[in-house]
Amino acid sequence: SSHKGALLSPPRPRGHLGTKRKALSATRRGLPKEKMSENGIMSRAKVLTIDTMNPTVKKVEYAVRGPIVQRAVELERELSEGMKKPFAEVIKANIGDAHAMGQQPITFFRQVLALCSYPELLSDSTFPEDAKSRACRILQSCGGNSMGAYSASQGIDSVRQDVARYIERRDGGVACDPDNIYLTTGASDGIVTMLKLLVCGEGTTRTGVMIPIPQYPLYSAALAELGAVQIDYFLNEEKCWSLDITELQRAVNEARQYCNPRALCIINPGNPTGQVQSRQCIEDVIRFAAKERLFLMADEVYQDNVYAEGCQFHSFKKVLFEMGPEYAETVELASFHSTSKCYMGECGFRGGYMEIINMDDEVKDQLTKLLSVRLCPPVPGQALMDLVVNPPQPGEPSYGSFIKERTATLSALAEKAKLTEQVLNTVQGISCNPVQGAMYSFPRITIPEKAVKEATEKGQQPDMFYCMKMLEETGICLVPGSGFGQKDGTYHFRMTILPPTDKLKILLNKVKEFHQRFTQQYS
């Protein structure tokens, strides 16, 4: 009868008690409730929401492509749709993307890459013989003689050998083992990989990584994603953004109270600050790292971009080995280079390498394993890296044009570095240190108190407010200094020196006029 009664009892409305039970069960398990849509269909809550996603990703910020750049893209679209603006074009001076700014690629590099991509061109008489022989050598190192094949995870063997020989030439004969060379997807890939190896511990034992302030936001973003502790050390703006050992000591001493400092990152030449470190400074940093037992990470992607008289690039590896076995055999070092900067500017190919020194053999095995998960860096990027470290030699057909193009690019950058400093320093309320190297200036700006107050009321950093206003009024896209870090109470912006000289002059003049207008408006 109970069975019969169950059959005869009126059916419950669909989704009535069962839905309540499911919702209650979900609530008890901390899951989002299901919702009834207007047409009566049950909609499931998203599995991945802003509240249930990885919390470390939400902490990641990357100012170089942040809100101001997104607005610049919108403005470009609005201009193309015919909307009236107080400017005819958006000039993006926010990122070190040389070719996007009009820098021309090196002919030889592109010829070899074209031949590697489409080997049928090897029979074309318009390509020089040295480009053809270089392309053949690269293709013979690729699986199936094709750049479309995977390479070894560490990179193509012959390219790593060429990188090692380049480092030996650069460093005056200091030996380089190709087994210590890892080809990477730009320098960024190598930097993040090394940070992954270094991060461990919880609470006060959590890995701390020392980074310069101002810094390139890759570092703060990677540390946030990895849940590591960022340890700031401040560069000395009054002394041309120099690095002071007493400041390193202050930073590490304070950090030891709440984390375990394990690594020290150096950017030389500097980004965003454009300083070039002296040899003495590098020696002092190496001694400091040895004393404090810190793993050194040397970001040297701007090593060819040195402009100021009396300045010279010294690699950390060279200085380390010239300091003798006490340091050369003990200090752990990873140094990074890329195809994206210098005179090449080939950002889109994502080519790079890292060299590791004095790494524990077991850790090296783990590094190789970690790299194997991503299979290999892009092979066209590896081929380009090979050309950068092994360019045309004297006597080869392409040597003359290569030297001419390389020299012209670097000379133009040197002129634009000087021009930028000179023009910005004519503006009352803007102070710009000499751009000794790299591709950026990082001038200090005075923002009136009235503007600081308005920015605060809008929930914006004062220099973000300043840069956003400049973008809306002039079409110039710069990055506020707060995206790189700066001392409290100081304000800056970063601008690249990459635009062609005529466009750079327009840009600098617009910055000058805007700053005068802005200061007047908020005085």
Side-chain angles (χ1 to χ4, degrees):
S1 61
S2 61
H3 176 69
K4 190 176 177 182
L7 287 174
L8 294 174
S9 59
R12 295 185 187 124
R14 269 188 87 186
H16 174 57
L17 189 57
T19 304
K20 277 188 177 175
R21 280 180 182 150
K22 279 163 75 179
L24 183 63
S25 172
T27 304
R28 283 175 181 157
R29 286 179 288 152
L31 299 173
K33 293 179 183 178
E34 293 172 333
K35 296 175 184 174
M36 185 77 76
S37 64
E38 288 178 10
N39 58 8
I41 297 171
M42 192 65 66
S43 67
R44 293 181 61 86
K46 302 271 187 206
V47 172
L48 183 62
T49 69
I50 197 72
D51 294 322
T52 62
M53 70 176 285
N54 182 341
T56 62
V57 173
K58 288 189 279 185
K59 293 177 184 174
V60 171
E61 290 184 7
Y62 191 65
V64 174
R65 295 196 175 197
I68 201 153
V69 183
Q70 291 158 20
R71 178 60 186 144
V73 171
E74 287 174 11
L75 286 170
E76 282 183 318
R77 188 175 65 248
E78 289 170 12
L79 281 170
S80 71
E81 291 168 357
M83 286 181 69
K84 294 292 178 203
K85 301 287 175 189
F87 47 86
E89 65 171 332
V90 172
I91 302 177
K92 290 181 185 167
N94 61 294
I95 194 166
D97 190 351
H99 292 189
M101 292 281 108
Q103 183 176 308
Q104 292 303 299
I106 298 292
T107 304
F108 179 77
F109 293 173
R110 288 301 183 89
Q111 285 174 332
V112 177
L113 290 171
L115 291 163
C116 288
S117 299
Y118 190 60
E120 281 79 357
L121 292 173
L122 287 164
S123 59
D124 189 323
S125 60
T126 58
F127 287 84
E129 287 306 312
D130 53 346
K132 290 181 180 179
S133 63
R134 198 66 57 84
C136 288
R137 181 173 178 268
I138 291 168
L139 288 172
Q140 284 163 9
S141 302
C142 296
N145 293 329
S146 170
M147 277 207 306
Y150 286 130
S151 77
S153 299
Q154 198 170 337
I156 296 170
D157 188 52
S158 65
V159 178
R160 291 191 295 110
Q161 288 173 19
D162 285 349
V163 169
R165 283 194 287 269
Y166 159 79
I167 292 171
E168 287 176 353
R169 289 194 307 273
R170 182 198 68 186
D171 292 345
V174 176
C176 179
D177 184 349
D179 284 345
N180 291 335
I181 302 297
Y182 293 78
L183 300 183
T184 56
T185 308
S188 303
D189 171 46
I191 290 163
V192 172
T193 300
M194 285 310 309
L195 291 173
K196 282 180 182 175
L197 292 179
L198 282 157
V199 174
C200 67
E202 297 296 333
T204 55
T205 66
R206 189 66 174 166
T207 292
V209 178
M210 302 179 71
I211 65 170
I213 298 296
Q215 52 103 21
Y216 176 53
L218 163 71
Y219 291 91
S220 53
L223 294 175
E225 186 180 353
L226 294 168
V229 179
Q230 177 178 318
I231 304 169
D232 296 345
Y233 66 88
F234 290 90
L235 301 176
N236 189 336
E237 184 170 9
E238 282 65 41
K239 292 185 180 176
C240 208
W241 298 111
S242 63
L243 193 160
D244 189 341
I245 297 300
T246 56
E247 169 60 12
L248 287 181
Q249 196 66 62
R250 176 207 63 79
V252 80
N253 289 348
E254 287 182 13
R256 289 201 194 282
Q257 297 170 32
Y258 56 84
C259 70
N260 177 22
R262 301 188 71 209
L264 169 59
C265 298
I266 308 285
I267 309 173
N268 179 47
N271 176 9
T273 43
Q275 84 286 4
V276 178
Q277 288 185 352
S278 68
R279 186 198 163 85
Q280 184 59 53
C281 177
I282 293 171
E283 281 191 27
D284 292 343
V285 169
I286 290 170
R287 286 192 188 93
F288 174 81
K291 178 171 74 79
E292 298 294 338
R293 288 181 51 75
L294 296 170
F295 191 108
L296 263 177
M297 294 176 61
D299 181 340
E300 298 175 334
V301 301
Y302 297 99
Q303 57 190 259
D304 290 325
N305 298 109
V306 178
Y307 318 122
E309 283 183 30
C311 288
Q312 186 184 343
F313 171 74
H314 302 276
S315 79
F316 264 77
K317 191 223 178 150
K318 180 177 190 280
V319 176
L320 174 66
F321 275 76
E322 289 176 352
M323 288 172 70
E326 179 189 353
Y327 298 100
E329 294 175 7
T330 58
V331 174
E332 294 154 86
L333 169 71
S335 55
F336 308 91
H337 194 19
S338 164
T339 61
S340 302
K341 310 302 176 184
C342 300
Y343 63 93
M344 302 84 72
E346 296 278 14
C347 305
F349 280 97
R350 310 307 300 129
Y353 74 74
M354 66 177 174
E355 181 185 16
I356 54 167
I357 304 293
N358 294 323
M359 180 178 274
D360 179 273
D361 286 339
E362 289 182 318
V363 176
K364 208 171 169 183
D365 291 341
Q366 294 297 316
L367 170 60
T368 303
K369 178 186 75 175
L370 187 60
L371 293 175
S372 68
V373 174
R374 59 100 161 102
L375 297 174
C376 70
V379 173
Q382 295 186 53
L384 179 59
M385 190 79 249
D386 188 60
L387 301 172
V388 170
V389 298
N390 187 19
Q393 300 303 306
E396 293 182 339
S398 302
Y399 179 73
S401 60
F402 167 74
I403 292 296
K404 185 180 174 185
E405 291 173 3
R406 182 184 187 275
T407 304
T409 299
L410 292 173
S411 297
L413 286 169
E415 284 173 25
K416 290 186 282 187
K418 205 163 194 173
L419 174 70
T420 302
E421 177 202 344
Q422 286 171 345
V423 174
L424 291 177
N425 280 329
T426 65
V427 187
Q428 191 174 358
I430 297 183
S431 169
C432 183
N433 270 318
V435 182
Q436 297 176 337
M439 296 177 170
Y440 318 95
S441 66
F442 196 71
R444 186 166 174 168
I445 52 175
T446 303
I447 298 182
E449 196 54 46
K450 194 175 168 186
V452 172
K453 188 169 181 286
E454 188 174 324
T456 307
E457 285 168 0
K458 290 185 174 182
Q460 287 184 336
Q461 292 285 349
D463 49 10
M464 169 62 89
F465 174 75
Y466 175 96
C467 288
M468 194 63 87
K469 206 165 176 60
M470 187 191 295
L471 175 64
E472 296 288 352
E473 291 183 20
T474 69
I476 291 171
C477 180
L478 308 177
V479 191
S482 49
F484 302 88
Q486 56 197 351
K487 281 193 172 177
D488 288 344
T490 68
Y491 307 109
H492 303 78
F493 60 74
R494 187 190 83 162
M495 64 166 280
T496 176
I497 62 170
L498 288 170
T501 304
D502 56 344
K503 193 169 276 192
L504 182 63
K505 285 177 180 174
I506 295 168
L507 186 156
L508 290 167
N509 199 45
K510 282 190 171 189
V511 169
K512 183 176 182 176
E513 289 171 357
F514 169 79
H515 187 83
Q516 290 165 341
R517 213 166 47 242
F518 181 87
T519 303
Q520 207 170 7
Q521 182 185 347
Y522 287 99
S523 293

